[in-house]
C-alpha cells in the first residue's frame, strides 16, 4: 500500500515539475513564466519531500528535515517570486501584449523609487502621462520575449 501511495505522489510531483517546465517554454511573458514555475515546482518538490518522509518512517531525521524544507519552501517561494516580479516590473520588463490590465501603471514613482498602493495618492504624486501608453504592456510579441 505504501508503494502505491509513493508511486502516486511521485507521479503527481513529476507531472507538476513537467508542467512547470512546459510553462516556462509556453508562457508568453516573464510574469506568467515566473508564476507557473514557482507554483508548479513548489508543489512538485513538496510532493517529492513527502515521499521521502513516507519512505523512511523510522528515521526521524529524514522526516523532520523533509517537513522543515516543505515549511520553508512554502513560506519563501511565493515571497521570492513576488520580489522578483516586483523588481522586474520596476526595471521595466514588458507585460504580454494581450495583458488586459496593468494595475501598477502610474503607481510607481521612478524618481523616489516608491510604489504606492492608493491610486489617488499615486496620481497626486505622479501626474498622468500625456501620451496614451498602456504602461508596460508590450506593443508586439517580440518585445515580450
Amino acid at each position: 500500500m505504501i508503494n502505491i501511495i509513493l508511486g502516486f505522489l511521485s507521479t503527481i510531483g513529476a507531472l507538476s515539475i513537467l508542467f512547470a517546465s512546459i510553462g516556462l517554454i509556453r508562457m508568453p511573458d516573464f510574469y506568467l513564466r515566473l508564476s507557473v514555475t514557482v507554483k508548479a515546482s513548489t508543489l512538485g518538490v513538496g510532493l517529492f519531500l513527502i515521499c521521502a518522509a513516507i519512505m523512511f518512517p523510522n528515521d526521524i531525521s529524514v522526516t523532520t528535515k523533509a517537513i522543515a524544507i516543505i515549511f520553508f519552501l512554502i513560506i519563501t517561494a511565493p515571497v521570492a517570486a513576488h520580489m522578483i516580479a516586483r523588481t522586474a516590473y520596476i526595471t521595466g520588463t514588458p507585460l504580454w501584449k494581450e495583458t488586459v490590465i496593468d494595475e501598477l501603471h502610474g503607481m510607481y514613482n521612478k524618481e523616489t523609487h516608491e510604489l504606492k498602493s492608493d491610486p489617488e495618492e499615486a496620481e497626486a504624486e505622479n501626474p498622468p502621462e500625456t501620451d496614451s501608453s498602456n504602461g508596460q504592456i508590450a506593443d508586439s510579441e517580440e518585445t515580450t520575449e
Side-chain angles (χ1 to χ4, degrees):
M1 183 66 183
I2 293 294
N3 288 336
I4 293 172
I5 293 171
L6 288 174
F8 180 74
L9 291 177
S10 297
T11 302
I12 299 289
L15 287 174
S16 178
I17 292 174
L18 175 68
F19 293 145
S21 303
I22 293 171
L24 192 63
I25 296 169
R26 297 282 302 163
M27 292 293 123
D29 73 346
F30 172 77
Y31 303 100
L32 292 172
R33 289 180 193 136
L34 180 68
S35 174
V36 90
T37 54
V38 168
K39 290 175 188 173
S41 64
T42 301
L43 176 66
V45 171
L47 288 174
F48 280 135
L49 289 170
I50 289 172
C51 288
I54 293 172
M55 185 76 177
F56 303 102
N58 297 329
D59 191 354
I60 198 73
S61 67
V62 172
T63 304
T64 305
K65 288 175 186 173
I67 291 171
I69 293 170
I70 291 170
F71 176 73
F72 287 113
L73 190 66
I74 289 173
I75 288 177
T76 58
V79 174
H82 175 78
M83 297 305 294
I84 292 169
R86 181 178 171 155
T87 302
Y89 188 85
I90 289 172
T91 57
T93 302
L95 299 169
W96 183 32
K97 68 175 183 164
E98 294 186 25
T99 300
V100 176
I101 186 168
D102 180 5
E103 292 183 348
L104 296 179
H105 179 62
M107 306 290 273
Y108 177 67
N109 188 336
K110 292 181 181 177
E111 294 175 6
T112 62
H113 299 289
E114 291 181 11
L115 188 60
K116 299 290 182 187
S117 59
D118 184 19
E120 295 175 2
E121 183 182 343
E123 188 171 325
E125 289 186 15
N126 302 326
E129 298 172 5
T130 54
D131 63 351
S132 61
S133 66
N134 292 327
Q136 292 184 207
I137 297 176
D139 295 330
S140 65
E141 193 70 37
E142 290 82 27
T143 57
T144 60
E145 308 242 342

